[in-house]
Amino acid sequence: MTSIIAIEDSIESLRKKLLDHNERCLELSKILTQEQESIIQNNAEDLLAVLETKQSLIGKIEEAQLKINKIIEVELKLELSTKSILRFFKQYNEVNEQVSAELQKLWGVFIEQSQVIEQKNLVNGHLLNKQNAKNQLLISLLRGQKPSTSLYGENGKSSRPSYRSGLNS
């Protein structure tokens, strides 16, 4: 059986890793906003700088995620699921109510930030694809190539990129 001291140490490590992870996720969220602005403004220089920062930060977040997973699975011997983790936090509440409440809050922020980052990244990918389609059309026009006259491709979808700004296209 795992000793109480080992569990306490693991919980403290988890708390610190979650704090660190959540701070880095807030940084990444700001970087993703900068990335979106660079894409919308079609500013390649800014976009390249933002992408470098983004890649570095993602590497650090992934490393922290692996450490969090190790603490949860190996040290605390829990299933890597939110349900299992929250159940453990509630049980731990009987031992240390204050730490348990903090862990539950940190875990909630962890989940929420992961979802926000995923959504922002999807939006940015969509914007990049739209910008790329515009650029390809402009390059074709500059080369004297005529744009496709077909409205629909073989798959039944529009063969022309939509140039409306925003996400509703």
Side-chain angles (χ1 to χ4, degrees):
M1 176 140 185
T2 308
S3 75
I4 299 291
I5 294 172
I7 291 174
E8 293 285 332
D9 289 345
S10 295
I11 288 172
E12 181 58 19
S13 292
L14 179 61
R15 187 187 72 75
K16 287 178 181 177
K17 295 294 179 200
L18 284 171
L19 276 169
D20 181 56
H21 183 276
N22 291 348
E23 287 175 20
R24 290 178 194 261
C25 283
L26 282 173
E27 286 178 56
L28 181 58
S29 184
K30 291 175 186 173
I31 294 296
L32 288 168
T33 299
Q34 291 173 354
E35 179 185 50
Q36 187 176 61
E37 291 168 1
S38 297
I39 294 167
I40 290 169
Q41 296 170 1
N42 203 16
N43 187 331
E45 277 184 43
D46 285 352
L47 183 59
L48 288 174
V50 167
L51 289 175
E52 285 181 31
T53 304
K54 177 183 168 184
Q55 277 307 115
S56 172
L57 201 49
I58 287 173
K60 291 175 185 174
I61 288 171
E62 287 173 347
E63 185 179 315
Q65 180 66 50
L66 290 173
K67 289 177 182 176
I68 289 169
N69 292 351
K70 181 182 176 195
I71 292 168
I72 291 168
E73 290 180 309
V74 176
E75 296 179 24
L76 296 174
K77 297 178 179 27
L78 298 172
E79 180 184 321
L80 197 56
S81 73
T82 295
K83 184 177 180 179
S84 173
I85 293 163
L86 290 176
R87 187 179 326 117
F88 172 78
F89 291 161
K90 287 178 183 175
Q91 290 170 348
Y92 188 71
N93 192 47
E94 295 172 16
V95 177
N96 190 327
E97 190 175 322
Q98 182 179 357
V99 171
S100 177
E102 182 183 11
L103 286 170
Q104 288 180 52
K105 181 180 178 185
L106 288 171
W107 188 259
V109 170
F110 171 81
I111 297 299
E112 181 182 317
Q113 286 179 343
S114 296
Q115 292 169 345
V116 166
I117 286 170
E118 180 180 8
Q119 186 61 36
K120 281 185 172 186
N121 209 30
L122 286 171
V123 168
N124 289 356
H126 181 73
L127 290 172
L128 276 172
N129 288 336
K130 286 188 151 294
Q131 189 62 44
N132 185 44
K134 286 180 190 178
N135 291 343
Q136 291 302 317
L137 178 63
L138 290 174
I139 289 169
S140 294
L141 291 172
L142 289 172
R143 289 183 177 160
Q145 299 168 340
K146 293 183 180 179
S148 171
T149 56
S150 170
L151 289 177
Y152 298 97
E154 292 178 26
N155 63 0
K157 294 188 178 186
S158 175
S159 62
R160 291 188 181 177
S162 173
Y163 296 107
R164 293 183 295 164
S165 62
L167 303 175
N168 300 329
S169 50

